[in-house]
Amino acid sequence: PLLISILLSVLILVVFRIDYSTYYEGAKYLSYLLTPATICLAVPLYEQMELLKKNWKAILGGDFCRSSYKSWNHINNGIFI
């Protein structure tokens, strides 16, 4: 989700020719609030890095199944995002 949101943001900025300074002026407060939340999520993940490395296949498999289901569900409901 993070990579997709970054790519979508860049695509929107390029397609609509929005300057980064204009974008940042509107998004700086949101960024200010999201930075601590990102750190709060990153620290526990870092602390469990060995467990994540050990179970990477299960994690990727679960993520693949979830994203496949979500995509199939959107297609069946006529939602194309």
Side-chain angles (χ1 to χ4, degrees):
L2 182 60
L3 181 60
I4 292 171
S5 64
I6 292 170
L7 293 174
L8 272 172
S9 297
V10 170
L11 181 67
I12 290 170
L13 291 175
V14 169
V15 168
F16 292 106
R17 297 181 182 176
I18 300 171
D19 292 334
Y20 181 76
S21 59
T22 305
Y23 164 78
Y24 184 73
E25 186 63 34
K28 67 182 175 183
Y29 300 111
L30 182 62
S31 178
Y32 177 75
L33 295 172
L34 285 177
T35 301
T38 304
I39 300 303
C40 288
L41 291 172
V43 170
L45 282 174
Y46 179 76
E47 290 173 349
Q48 298 295 326
M49 188 62 71
E50 290 304 316
L51 183 63
L52 292 171
K53 287 179 184 178
K54 180 180 169 188
N55 295 309
W56 70 272
K57 290 179 186 176
I59 294 168
L60 286 180
D63 192 44
F64 175 77
C65 290
R66 178 197 54 83
S67 61
S68 298
Y69 171 77
K70 296 280 282 182
S71 297
W72 179 254
N73 196 21
H74 285 322
I75 291 170
N76 282 340
N77 291 327
I79 302 170
F80 299 101
I81 296 177

